[in-house]
Amino acid sequence: MNKNFLNDFPILRTQMNGQPLAYLDNGATTQKPENVVRSICGYYGGCNANPHRGVYELSQKSTKVYEDARRKVTKFINAKSAREIIFTKNATESLNLVAFSYGLTNLQAGDEILITIAEHHSNLVPWQIVARAKGAKLNYIYLTADGNLSEADISAKLTRRTKILAVTQISNVLGLINDVKTLAAKAHEIGAVVIVDGSQSVPHIPVDVQNLDADFLAFSGHKMLSPMGIGVLYGKQKILDAMPPFLTGGDMIEYVTEQETTFAELPQKFEAGTQNVGGAAGLTAAIDYLQGVGFDEIARVENDLTTFAISELKKLPYVELYGCDAPNKVGIVTFNIRDVHPHDVATILDAQGVAIRAGHHCAQPLMKFLGVNSTCRASFYFYNTRRDVERLIDAVKTVRGVMKLN
Ligand SMILES: Cc1ncc(COP(=O)(O)O)c(C=O)c1O
């Protein structure tokens, strides 16, 4: 491992079940470097006060920390204006905001919402609920055998009835990168609004909302080195301006009378109640850290580890891999071991210090489409090493023996 990463992420030097930790569950959440931990402590130790509300210096300092984070995110994803950046608690809340504010207001009976079968439940369940409420139809783009989005489905289902296209940029199960730029252009031709779930892309590849021409982009800080509890919704200003608030109460108002309320301008209109300023401080530090590493280096490491893991797993005849032959893929390897439940696999790996995910990965329709109930998933980040992958493979090789299947 790069020495600096070991120094910066002390948790990676800890043990799990008496073994050195090989943390391979980065798709669920990433570890946090020291500068992020320090920034949170620094905020609570030196700047803590309710932002936006106080006229005193400490409150203004807190407001500055919060608004600096917004400016940092604006540049990071190349939004046009900081007004287009709404802080939420996570990608799930961001996607719910769009569904319940934009979707409920703009959809009509007979309209269609188009998503992919590879969506995380966070970009699926809100659309089911909104579709039902409005009498709209929820359509799916399915996958080809190699795991890519079916072009035939895109052509057939992206029609003038489609008012919303909501699509993940990278699948959290298969790691496949969808060409959302091309999809967005096609959707805009027929007047649909494009929502991109960037939960698995923003931490791993450069994302430029103007280049993609996304109308909305949702992501979570905790999957990109930040603390849990801070997320982002980007939206084009014109669209956000026309949307009603999602949550209401303190901070998001302009004026309240006994019966009426007028709402604050963007972005406050969508940020009701006391916000997570410590989380925003952590997000700023996380972006600084990521930019220090650089997306080229992140891609280099993740590609190396993914290719290595896939080639080693392919040597094991009892391992089935999912979506591993597509070239447009980032650091996620999803597999099953014949005759062994993924929870048993993960438990056996855990005893050897290897942390992976097992289950349906909040993507049950995709599991059904793949013909499985659940899978194992190893997901990498730039601080992982070939040694971590070797430990994964060595542990996988023990599973069938432990289960007395050999
Ligand atoms: C593709 C994708 N979308 C949405 C989410 C939801 O993220 P969060 O739980 O941080 O809201 C996840 C989390 O795993 C994800 O991988």
Side-chain angles (χ1 to χ4, degrees):
M1 172 178 295
N2 179 319
K3 208 163 141 284
N4 293 332
F5 294 151
L6 256 192
N7 289 337
D8 291 349
F9 294 83
I11 199 167
L12 299 176
R13 282 182 275 154
T14 60
Q15 298 205 328
M16 194 168 76
N17 288 317
Q19 306 283 332
L21 173 66
Y23 183 76
L24 302 178
D25 195 18
N26 295 286
T29 199
T30 60
Q31 299 303 341
K32 322 302 174 199
E34 283 281 272
N35 77 316
V36 167
V37 176
R38 272 199 310 274
S39 72
I40 302 161
C41 295
Y43 170 73
Y44 282 108
C47 304
N48 177 56
N50 210 313
H52 297 143
R53 294 184 184 180
V55 291
Y56 53 91
E57 190 188 358
L58 203 55
S59 174
Q60 288 172 9
K61 266 192 185 172
S62 181
T63 304
K64 182 168 179 336
V65 169
Y66 194 57
E67 296 306 326
D68 281 351
R70 199 187 307 278
R71 280 186 282 275
K72 179 71 76 175
V73 173
T74 306
K75 282 209 179 114
F76 184 59
I77 60 168
N78 193 30
K80 272 191 191 147
S81 152
R83 286 168 175 261
E84 298 179 316
I85 305 300
I86 315 292
F87 284 126
T88 59
K89 52 174 199 294
N90 48 38
T92 301
E93 185 182 314
S94 301
L95 292 162
N96 274 268
L97 193 166
V98 183
F100 288 97
S101 172
Y102 182 86
L104 279 185
T105 313
N106 290 286
L107 287 169
Q108 288 173 2
D111 286 346
E112 294 182 1
I113 302 165
L114 185 58
I115 68 175
T116 83
I117 194 67
E119 297 310 312
H120 187 281
H121 294 162
S122 296
N123 196 29
L124 189 159
V125 180
W127 298 118
Q128 284 181 341
I129 293 172
V130 167
R132 191 157 304 144
K134 301 300 292 188
K137 186 174 173 207
L138 183 57
N139 277 335
Y140 286 84
I141 302 168
Y142 293 99
L143 308 180
T144 55
D146 57 8
N148 286 311
L149 297 183
S150 151
E151 285 298 331
D153 266 0
I154 295 169
S155 306
K157 294 177 182 170
L158 194 57
T159 72
R160 296 228 162 256
R161 283 189 300 278
T162 311
K163 298 296 179 240
I164 289 176
L165 172 72
V167 57
T168 189
Q169 192 169 12
I170 296 182
S171 152
N172 64 311
V173 177
L174 302 172
L176 301 177
I177 306 176
N178 292 324
D179 180 1
V180 287
K181 184 174 173 165
T182 304
L183 274 175
K186 285 186 181 161
H188 286 147
E189 269 173 32
I190 47 109
V193 156
V194 177
I195 297 140
V196 177
D197 178 354
S199 303
Q200 297 292 344
S201 58
V202 176
H204 300 274
I205 60 173
V207 174
D208 176 330
V209 286
Q210 292 190 66
N211 181 260
L212 293 179
D213 201 16
D215 296 304
F216 296 96
L217 173 80
F219 58 99
S220 288
H222 70 91
K223 293 183 196 290
M224 48 179 283
L225 311 179
S226 310
M228 296 180 183
I230 185 93
V232 172
L233 174 67
Y234 157 82
K236 284 184 184 161
Q237 184 166 347
K238 216 171 136 196
I239 305 178
L240 287 173
D241 269 333
M243 282 161 52
F246 174 47
L247 301 175
T248 58
D251 251 23
M252 50 73 67
I253 59 95
E254 181 190 56
Y255 201 75
V256 182
T257 64
E258 280 193 19
Q259 302 298 330
E260 298 290 336
T261 298
T262 53
F263 303 118
E265 301 267 295
L266 290 176
Q268 270 73 35
K269 181 170 80 169
F270 291 108
E271 293 181 358
T274 300
Q275 298 298 302
N276 181 0
V277 186
L283 183 57
T284 299
I287 293 173
D288 284 340
Y289 194 94
L290 276 180
Q291 288 176 328
V293 178
F295 281 111
D296 286 348
E297 175 64 5
I298 293 173
R300 188 192 66 73
V301 174
E302 290 184 6
N303 284 336
D304 178 59
L305 299 182
T306 309
T307 313
F308 180 46
I310 291 173
S311 74
E312 291 302 304
L313 286 170
K314 275 188 171 170
K315 292 178 190 163
L316 307 175
Y318 47 82
V319 169
E320 178 156 11
L321 288 151
Y322 303 91
C324 280
D325 291 322
N328 51 335
K329 184 172 168 66
V330 286
I332 289 177
V333 177
T334 291
F335 63 96
N336 269 327
I337 297 185
R338 199 191 316 131
D339 302 328
V340 188
H341 192 281
H343 283 165
D344 289 329
V345 177
T347 305
I348 293 166
L349 268 55
D350 166 52
Q352 298 173 60
V354 179
I356 62 156
R357 194 64 152 198
H360 55 62
H361 314 292
C362 299
Q364 282 183 322
L366 176 61
M367 292 290 118
K368 185 151 191 242
F369 179 80
L370 295 172
V372 292
N373 288 322
S374 54
T375 66
C376 305
R377 180 187 71 180
S379 50
F380 310 122
Y381 213 13
F382 58 84
Y383 44 63
N384 287 124
T385 62
R386 277 205 167 213
R387 181 73 200 118
D388 292 334
V389 179
E390 283 163 2
R391 304 246 332 270
L392 166 74
I393 304 299
D394 288 347
V396 163
K397 286 178 182 165
T398 69
V399 169
R400 286 178 61 87
V402 173
M403 298 301 288
K404 310 269 183 275
L405 288 169
N406 283 339

